[in-house]
Amino acid sequence: MTIRVVVADDQELVRSGFALILDVQPDIEVVAEVGDGAQAVDAVRRLAPDVALLDIRMPHLDGIEACRAISAASACRTVMLTTFDSDEYVYEALHAGASGFLLKDVRRDDLVHAVRVVAAGDALLAPSVARRLVAEYTSRPAAPAPSGRLDALTARERETLLLLGRGLSNAEIAAELTVSEHTVKTHVGNVLAKLGLRDRVQAVICAYETGLISAGSPA
């Protein structure tokens, strides 16, 4: 099956470069390249792609609002493009429905891998992004954690959620817990199902919001 992708970035060289990398893959087709968020929303509405790569900072409609509109109106999954030296909106973008983040200096193979992972229904949150999310979240006034929200989880599922919140991959979680990756996938699936979460990105947010991870937690 071909993965259909929309690339949205107001920098033509960035957008064209990403599109070129993706379009030469045998299982990926770039169906549109656009320069702002409004055009991205329109392209998703018209072309029904599987994945949209959205720059956070774009004219007319920024990536966060575009992500929110796309997530609300379609099954297209979104990946945000960001430079962490300037972007301060990681938390908002995740709440808007983003399935992952990529740095603009992402390696070619990592870009292709990210699109495939997100198109398959998983999510992508690198440890560097998780650390940024911690910083953004803990800089805000603390909100009361939902009472008893994690009570449905077993002790091992809580451990899994904690490690998800720290940005660990399934392989890294398996090594940490000394179990197989298959077992980790089962734990992750149980966590998502019991807490009513869409993907592991939402699981990360949940780990922060419930206080499972706090400002003093190890990275």
Side-chain angles (χ1 to χ4, degrees):
M1 184 185 76
T2 300
I3 302 168
R4 293 161 51 82
V5 179
V6 166
V7 180
D9 195 299
D10 61 334
Q11 295 179 293
E12 183 178 359
L13 286 178
V14 173
R15 157 174 102 239
S16 299
F18 281 4
L20 181 62
I21 291 169
L22 294 172
D23 218 22
V24 298
Q25 304 302 316
D27 58 335
I28 298 176
E29 176 189 5
V30 175
V31 296
E33 297 177 45
V34 298
D36 65 56
Q39 292 176 347
V41 173
D42 179 66
V44 170
R45 179 185 57 80
R46 291 185 295 103
L47 302 171
D50 303 295
V51 177
L53 298 182
L54 304 175
D55 184 18
I56 284 186
R57 294 174 180 263
M58 291 188 289
H60 306 303
L61 190 70
D62 66 33
I64 295 172
E65 291 306 316
C67 175
R68 184 173 288 114
I70 289 169
S71 298
S74 75
C76 178
R77 296 174 69 82
T78 56
V79 177
M80 310 307 295
L81 303 172
T82 180
T83 54
F84 286 139
D85 58 344
S86 61
D87 292 330
E88 300 174 353
Y89 306 112
V90 174
Y91 182 80
E92 287 86 349
L94 292 174
H95 269 285
S99 292
F101 275 82
L102 290 176
L103 299 178
K104 284 195 175 182
D105 61 357
V106 63
R107 296 184 306 173
R108 176 189 304 262
D109 290 347
D110 291 339
L111 171 65
V112 174
H113 173 71
V115 168
R116 288 171 177 155
V117 165
V118 169
D122 208 337
L124 198 78
L125 193 64
S128 60
V129 181
R131 287 192 294 270
R132 179 69 186 217
L133 179 55
V134 171
E136 291 295 326
Y137 185 79
T138 56
S139 69
R140 302 166 183 273
S147 178
R149 185 175 180 187
L150 303 183
D151 287 352
L153 302 183
T154 66
R156 184 46 61 94
E157 288 164 356
R158 280 184 181 242
E159 287 182 282
T160 301
L161 178 58
L162 175 65
L163 296 173
L164 283 173
R166 293 178 183 163
L168 273 64
S169 66
N170 282 357
E172 291 167 333
I173 294 173
E176 184 80 16
L177 300 180
T178 321
V179 297
S180 69
E181 283 193 56
H182 176 76
T183 298
V184 171
K185 289 180 182 179
T186 299
H187 290 327
V188 171
N190 289 342
V191 168
L192 299 183
K194 289 181 179 181
L195 298 180
L197 305 173
R198 182 189 64 218
D199 54 36
R200 60 198 297 139
V201 171
Q202 288 196 340
V204 171
I205 295 174
C206 177
Y208 302 142
E209 291 185 332
T210 57
L212 191 61
I213 291 181
S214 64
S217 298

